[in-house]
Structure formats: C-alpha cells, structure tokens
Amino acid sequence: ILHRNLDFRKISAVTIGRRIARSIFVIAFAFTGFGYWSLIYADVIATVFQSVLLNIFSPWKIRFCFNMPIAKDLFSFGKWLFLSGILYSAYSVIDNAVIAKLLGISALGYYVIAYRWSHLTSEYFRPSFQAVMYPTFSSFKNEIPMLQKSYLESIKYLSLISFPITFGIFFLGDQFLLILGGEKWEDAILPLQI
C-alpha cells in the first residue's frame, strides 16, 4: 500500500528502523555470547519489528481471517511466482556450490568478493530504482504513451548511473580491490574482471 501510494518517507522510516533494530540486536546478542547466532536472531527480530512498523504506518491493517476463494485465486497466480523464485534461488547459488566443491572454500571466498563488487549496480541500485519506478508506472498505467516515454527515460537514467560504475569496476577493479583489501584480495581480481 505504501509503495502504491508512493509514500517513500514512511517506507524509508520503516527500512531505517529495521536496520537500526537489527544493528542493536546483533551487537546485544554478540556481547551476550550468542556468537554467529546473533546474526540470525537479530534478523528474525528485525523482521518482526519491520512488520510492526509497516502495520503502524500503513493505512491497511492486518486482520487474521481466511477466505478460501481468495486463497485459491492468489495461489493460482502466485504458484508460478513461487516456483520461479525457488528456481532462481537454486540458480543463484549453484555457482557457489560448484566453485566450493571443485576449487575449495578459499577460491569461493575470492569469487564471492569479486561477484559482489561486479554486481554492485544490479544488486543495490536496480532494486531501489525498481521500488520507486513500479508504483510510479502503475499510477499512470492507462496512459500508454506516457508510460512508454517514462519507461525509456528511466532506463536512460539508470544506464547513466550503472554503466560508468560497471565499466569503472571492469577497468579499475584491480586497483580498487588492492586499495580496499590489500594484497590478500589479489586473487579476486581476475574473477572480478570476468
């Protein structure tokens, strides 16, 4: 509802609130001796906190009821999204499993570092951009010429941001990794540039 209403101030408040809550709980659990479980417990609590904040800020309130015709309708639409999400999740981690099995954990570490930096624009900029553009486009969905023009404009501006970053990482990635992580990340340069 908040996205549809383009209420990004409240969405930002919820996102920032979740991140602050997660940080506080990670630190608190870590200091009390929970070890790596601190990350898991903090994520669970932060997600509950985010749900509470969304329920406070949203004009639509959560009610607990079950309606079988609506559930069937949602399932008939959502089953394909669910299946594609599972397939994409498997697809997105299969490379990590293969590299870990064939080359070892150390090579996987370098690969993950290279992968994260090389996918900076697709993992960080694009989702933020889509979160804004999808509700904006839906607000004038019946005005096809305006929708087409806006879509092309949005692609242009996203490209103006992402292409220089991507080419910069490709051409300057070796210096970037050496400055950022030192010589210990030198083995991540080749996968970054590929």
Side-chain angles (χ1 to χ4, degrees), residues 2-3 7-24 42-43 45-58 124 127-128 131-132:
L2 294 176
H3 281 281
D7 197 346
F8 296 111
R9 180 173 289 153
K10 289 180 182 175
I11 293 169
S12 296
V14 169
T15 303
I16 292 168
R18 182 192 193 287
R19 289 182 181 165
I20 290 171
R22 183 185 182 280
S23 300
I24 290 169
D43 274 337
I45 292 170
T47 301
V48 170
F49 184 72
Q50 179 182 15
S51 298
V52 169
L53 285 178
L54 283 171
N55 197 39
I56 290 169
F57 287 134
S58 177
Y124 296 105
S128 300
V132 172

Side-chain angles (χ1 to χ4, degrees), residues 158-176:
L158 182 60
S159 299
L160 284 173
I161 295 169
S162 62
F163 284 165
I165 293 171
T166 302
F167 285 118
I169 289 171
F170 178 77
F171 289 113
L172 304 173
D174 52 347
Q175 291 91 3
F176 176 73

Side-chain angles (χ1 to χ4, degrees), residues 15-79:
T15 303
I16 292 168
R18 182 192 193 287
R19 289 182 181 165
I20 290 171
R22 183 185 182 280
S23 300
I24 290 169
F25 283 108
V26 164
I27 292 168
F29 283 130
F31 275 122
T32 53
F34 283 89
Y36 61 87
W37 285 99
S38 303
L39 299 170
I40 297 166
Y41 294 147
D43 274 337
V44 170
I45 292 170
T47 301
V48 170
F49 184 72
Q50 179 182 15
S51 298
V52 169
L53 285 178
L54 283 171
N55 197 39
I56 290 169
F57 287 134
S58 177
W60 176 80
K61 300 300 178 199
I62 296 174
R63 291 181 315 211
F64 296 100
C65 64
F66 185 77
N67 187 322
M68 185 56 105
I70 292 174
K72 283 183 179 180
D73 187 42
L74 290 174
F75 180 74
S76 69
F77 172 74
K79 65 185 173 192

Side-chain angles (χ1 to χ4, degrees), residues 112-126:
V112 168
I113 289 168
Y115 184 89
R116 289 217 174 134
W117 282 109
S118 66
H119 286 79
L120 180 72
T121 56
S122 65
E123 289 187 8
Y124 296 105
F125 295 128
R126 186 182 46 81

Side-chain angles (χ1 to χ4, degrees), residues 174-189:
D174 52 347
Q175 291 91 3
F176 176 73
L177 279 181
L178 291 175
I179 291 170
L180 191 66
E183 291 183 16
K184 65 182 178 185
W185 283 5
E186 189 172 10
D187 290 336
I189 293 172

